[in-house]
């Protein structure tokens, strides 16, 4: 490619080391049109993106390859063996209906098991594209081009695919790793402030889980992080991607330590469901969930002295809510009850108790089951 890859990570999966993901990092302005030439080996390819991405200036040349018109939602365009599907943008479109639109587009255009799906977008697009590729003819290859900080540091890496169902997060899905992940960190410059902070929450989570050094960077370099300094963001993306790749290679199907990556997620997914999917960003919900987990750990006597206060201070300084009752639920009747109900429906639970990820201190993480009464304490602030 014209944009030279700095280097790459080869992610091998423990169940089958012949299955790998090549994660490549690129410098310079995003140029997705290069995918049309450099990934072309004569097979049919279905590119999937959304209405937000297709409107970006850096996507202009890519889109013009398929159409001279402004693409519309749920429309399919083609040029030879290449096809482009535009889906709606955001969590509310992360549905089985959207997944089936991808599958239908492939069926209607005679795709076969040698074909490939290529998702260009954030975690919603990569999750759904991966899911569609896993169920089309029992599995074909997929490639991801993550365009949000959230998808660069977390969502696109590790083989988890899926969509929301009946107002609950990621209730349907598979494990189906991408063949390639191509990361242009400069896509981050195109994000709204809210989307940037959403991804930043997952990066902070990764730091708390695996790296004291990265945690210190977030504490000491806040101004440059929020300015989206290119050098610092490159370091954050690379370190988070490496950390996730390491744990995925160790525990692909989430039977052990990979579950640590769900720090804040049991609370966070419940918040997303209770407030209405899309009302609170995934990162905002996870950050709030990390704060609830820190308070729960202290209440139960697990947390070392100062851990909760230090964690809440870091999250608060980056603008995340750390209060027991999230603002999105202030007018919701029995908010804590609805959150608890959603937590019980979380796919990670295997018993009547709520399974949560907690920490004793930074990088010292464990999994435990907690009673409803203890959960309610940190949801009501008492």
């Amino acid at each position: 490619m014209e944009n030279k890859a700095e280097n790459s990570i080869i992610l091998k999966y423990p169940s089958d080391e012949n299955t790998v993901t090549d994660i490549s990092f690129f410098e310079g302005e995003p140029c997705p049109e290069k995918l049309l030439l450099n990934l072309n080996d004569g097979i049919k390819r279905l590119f999937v993106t959304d209405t937000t991405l297709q409107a970006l200036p850096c996507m202009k040349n890519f889109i013009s390859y398929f159409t001279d018109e402004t693409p519309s939602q749920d429309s399919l365009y083609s040029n030879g063996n290449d096809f482009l599907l535009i889906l709606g943008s955001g969590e509310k479109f992360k549905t089985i209906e959207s997944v089936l639109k991808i599958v239908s587009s492939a069926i209607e255009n005679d795709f076969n098991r040698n074909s490939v799906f290529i998702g260009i977008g954030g975690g919603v697009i990569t999750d759904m594209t991966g899911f569609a590729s896993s169920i089309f003819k029992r599995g074909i290859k997929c490639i991801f081009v993550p365009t949000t900080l959230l998808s660069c540091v977390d969502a696109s890496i590790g083989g988890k695919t899926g969509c929301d169902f009946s107002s609950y997060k990621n209730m349907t899905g598979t494990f189906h790793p991408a063949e390639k992940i191509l990361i242009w960190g400069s896509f981050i410059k195109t994000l709204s402030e809210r989307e940037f902070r959403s991804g930043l929450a997952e990066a902070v989570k990764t730091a708390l889980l695996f790296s004291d050094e990265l945690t210190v960077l977030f504490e000491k370099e806040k101004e440059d992080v929020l300015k989206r300094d290119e050098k610092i963001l490159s370091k954050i993306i690379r370190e988070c991607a490496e950390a996730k790749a390491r744990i995925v290679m160790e525990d692909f199907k989430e039977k052990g330590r990979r579950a640590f990556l769900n720090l804040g997620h049991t609370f966070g997914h419940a918040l997303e469901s209770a407030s209405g999917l899309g009302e609170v960003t995934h990162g905002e919900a996870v950050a709030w969930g990390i704060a609830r987990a820190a308070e729960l750990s202290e209440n139960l006597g697990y947390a070392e002295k100062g851990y909760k206060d230090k964690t809440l201070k870091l999250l608060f300084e980056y603008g995340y809510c750390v209060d027991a009752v999230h603002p999105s639920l202030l007018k919701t009747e029995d908010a804590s009850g609805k959150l608890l109900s959603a937590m019980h429906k979380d796919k990670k639970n295997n018993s009547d108790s709520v399974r949560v990820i907690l920490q004793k201190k930074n990088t010292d993480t464990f999994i435990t089951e907690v009673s409803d009464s203890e959960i309610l304490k940190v949801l009501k602030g008492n």
Side-chain angles (χ1 to χ4, degrees), residues 37 41 47 62 66 154 166 210 255 275 286 321 324 374:
L37 299 174
D41 51 10
F47 293 87
F62 175 79
F66 295 95
D154 184 74
S166 187
F210 303 117
K255 302 297 184 183
S275 62
V286 167
C321 174
E374 293 295 342

Side-chain angles (χ1 to χ4, degrees), residues 30-50:
C31 49
E33 67 272 15
K34 299 298 181 183
L35 302 172
L36 298 167
L37 299 174
N38 289 275
L39 297 178
N40 191 355
D41 51 10
I43 62 175
K44 286 190 174 182
R45 303 180 298 176
L46 175 58
F47 293 87
V48 183
T49 192
D50 63 32

Side-chain angles (χ1 to χ4, degrees), residues 48-50 52-53 89-91 94 119-130 144-152 154-156 187 191 195:
V48 183
T49 192
D50 63 32
T52 296
L53 261 294
S89 179
E91 191 74 31
K94 192 179 181 183
I120 306 175
V124 169
I125 288 294
T126 58
D127 274 12
M128 293 196 299
T129 303
F144 297 152
V145 182
T147 60
T148 64
L149 183 56
L150 178 60
S151 57
C152 286
D154 184 74
S156 70
F187 262 119
L191 300 177
E195 280 300 320

Side-chain angles (χ1 to χ4, degrees), residues 205-251:
K205 177 208 75 176
T206 302
L208 293 173
L209 285 172
F210 303 117
S211 175
D212 288 328
E213 179 185 353
L214 194 56
T215 301
V216 170
L217 182 150
F218 279 115
E219 292 171 343
K220 303 295 185 183
E221 306 292 340
K222 174 190 165 188
E223 184 176 340
D224 286 335
V225 171
L226 294 179
K227 284 182 179 178
R228 309 189 201 188
D229 177 86
E230 188 172 347
K231 184 177 179 180
I232 285 184
L233 282 183
S234 177
K235 177 179 175 64
I236 290 170
I237 291 170
R238 175 71 192 220
E239 289 200 17
C240 288
E242 286 183 339
K244 184 158 188 182
R246 283 195 302 270
I247 203 163
V248 167
M249 284 190 282
E250 173 189 325
D251 178 26

Side-chain angles (χ1 to χ4, degrees), residues 56-67:
L56 294 179
C58 65
M59 293 286 284
K60 182 178 180 181
N61 291 336
F62 175 79
I63 298 295
S64 66
Y65 176 78
F66 295 95
T67 178

